[in-house]
Amino acid sequence: MNTAEEKRVRELTKEIAELKKHLTLKSATMTNRNTSDELEKIGELLSEKNTLTGLHEDATYLYLDDGEWFREVKGFVGEDSGMHDCMGIALKIGDTVSLNGYPRLVMQDMPSQKTLLECGCKKIKDCSEMDIQDAFSCAFTVSLHSCLEDYENSLSHSMEMHL
């Protein structure tokens, strides 16, 4: 890579990080369309970055949905959740802890840090071993999505609309 390409990769990395942070903090109050647009934008930026680096970086995220109105990005897998288990181990989005004997997926603010400590939760799986079934102990449907796939699907949909 030349200097201009390296600079662009740094810019893309920064912009992607800012969008991820914004979505994690604000998606609960955003419209579904705005959330989708930002997720697709991350995919677009990742696509450009991957073209420059030759890598296949993606941003997978946990999406919480009550099936009616409530939809929220609950974090990007592998990123710091800001929480710790009862042993003081830092937890990442997508890690699994044991909550009252049941596996529970760590998402942004779910379970809460207070619950993790009160229940003596210990990390039992790393996010690289993530099992989406571990999330189903909460009341909402949680699914795993890819920003690159969201972007690629939006391109396909857009091309179909023009035909």
Side-chain angles (χ1 to χ4, degrees):
M1 266 192 303
N2 63 40
T3 306
E5 290 171 330
E6 290 174 354
K7 180 181 179 197
R8 182 62 182 147
V9 167
R10 284 191 301 274
E11 291 170 351
L12 290 166
T13 301
K14 182 179 178 185
E15 191 172 350
I16 290 165
E18 289 170 357
L19 283 169
K20 287 168 135 182
K21 182 177 181 181
H22 180 259
L23 276 168
T24 302
L25 296 174
K26 301 291 183 181
S27 68
T29 59
M30 294 169 61
T31 65
N32 293 338
R33 181 72 251 159
N34 288 342
T35 299
S36 293
D37 288 347
E38 283 197 25
L39 290 164
E40 289 169 14
K41 181 66 175 175
I42 292 171
E44 179 183 355
L45 297 172
L46 283 167
S47 180
E48 181 183 347
K49 183 178 175 183
N50 288 341
T51 300
L52 292 169
T53 63
L55 301 173
H56 188 72
E57 183 180 334
D58 196 356
T60 53
Y61 60 95
L62 295 169
Y63 195 65
L64 192 98
D65 183 355
D66 73 351
E68 292 184 24
W69 300 104
F70 184 79
R71 293 179 178 94
E72 182 178 356
V73 173
K74 293 306 283 180
F76 290 84
V77 175
E79 295 196 350
D80 183 23
S81 71
M83 297 183 286
H84 296 81
D85 73 0
C86 69
M87 304 298 287
I89 297 171
L91 298 170
K92 295 179 181 177
I93 303 296
D95 286 349
T96 303
V97 293
S98 176
L99 179 64
N100 297 325
Y102 296 98
R104 180 71 183 269
L105 199 60
V106 174
M107 296 177 271
Q108 192 65 41
D109 301 323
M110 292 178 71
S112 70
Q113 180 64 64
K114 181 180 177 184
T115 299
L116 290 170
L117 296 176
E118 286 177 353
C119 295
C121 293
K122 292 182 184 175
K123 180 178 170 180
I124 56 175
K125 288 184 193 173
D126 185 79
C127 61
S128 63
E129 307 168 303
M130 187 180 71
D131 182 352
I132 198 72
Q133 296 298 319
D134 294 341
F136 291 137
S137 59
C138 63
F140 299 103
T141 299
V142 177
S143 53
L144 185 64
H145 293 266
S146 156
C147 287
L148 275 178
E149 286 180 18
D150 292 346
Y151 173 62
E152 290 165 1
N153 290 338
S154 74
L155 290 177
S156 296
H157 183 70
S158 178
M159 286 191 293
E160 289 171 6
M161 296 298 285
H162 292 301
L163 294 177

